[in-house]
């Protein structure tokens, strides 16, 4: 005999279902780290698009550091970084 199939998704102790049911919701420390990673990735992306050198601003920014012709655009970069940080979140060892 076949057992009846449940249509309910499994839930974890935090009430999350689906993909989050196995690992739970991120705590505030993990959310802070995810936000910091996302902001840093966006900052580095802007540096790659607009700067030749000095992305960490270790010296005062000059015109020599800025690319005269920008090839590429900001476009989808924040969204891609957002996806990357969330994909990375499930595989971090803290």
């Amino acid at each position: 005999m076949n057992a009846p199939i449940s249509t309910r998704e499994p839930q974890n102790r935090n009430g999350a279902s689906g993909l989050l049911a196995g690992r739970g919701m991120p705590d505030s420390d993990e959310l802070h780290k995810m936000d910091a990673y996302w902001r840093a990735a966006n900052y580095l992306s802007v540096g790659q698009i607009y700067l030749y050198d000095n992305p960490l601003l270790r010296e005062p920014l000059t015109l020599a550091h800025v690319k005269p012709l920008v090839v590429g655009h900001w476009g989808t970069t924040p969204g891609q970084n957002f996806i990357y940080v969330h994909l990375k979140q499930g595989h971090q060892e803290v």
Side-chain angles (χ1 to χ4, degrees):
M1 287 200 194
N2 293 335
I5 298 172
S6 172
T7 57
R8 288 187 61 214
E9 290 187 31
Q11 292 186 339
N12 67 6
R13 67 180 187 280
N14 296 327
S17 61
L19 294 175
L20 292 176
R23 65 177 179 257
M25 299 296 289
D27 59 17
S28 63
D29 183 54
E30 194 172 10
L31 287 174
H32 176 74
K33 289 177 182 178
M34 290 170 65
D35 179 59
Y37 181 93
W38 185 51
R39 287 183 289 113
N42 287 336
Y43 179 86
L44 292 173
S45 298
V46 168
Q48 288 177 328
I49 293 170
Y50 294 103
L51 298 178
Y52 277 131
D53 195 14
N54 194 23
L56 299 178
L57 301 177
R58 292 191 172 148
E59 58 187 69
L61 194 61
T62 66
L63 213 45
H65 296 135
V66 180
K67 293 178 183 177
L69 177 64
V70 176
V71 178
H73 59 89
W74 180 243
T76 61
T77 303
Q80 289 175 350
N81 287 336
F82 184 81
I83 297 297
Y84 295 150
V85 73
H86 285 81
L87 291 174
K88 183 174 173 48
Q89 182 262 337
H91 301 287
Q92 285 185 18
E93 291 184 24
V94 180

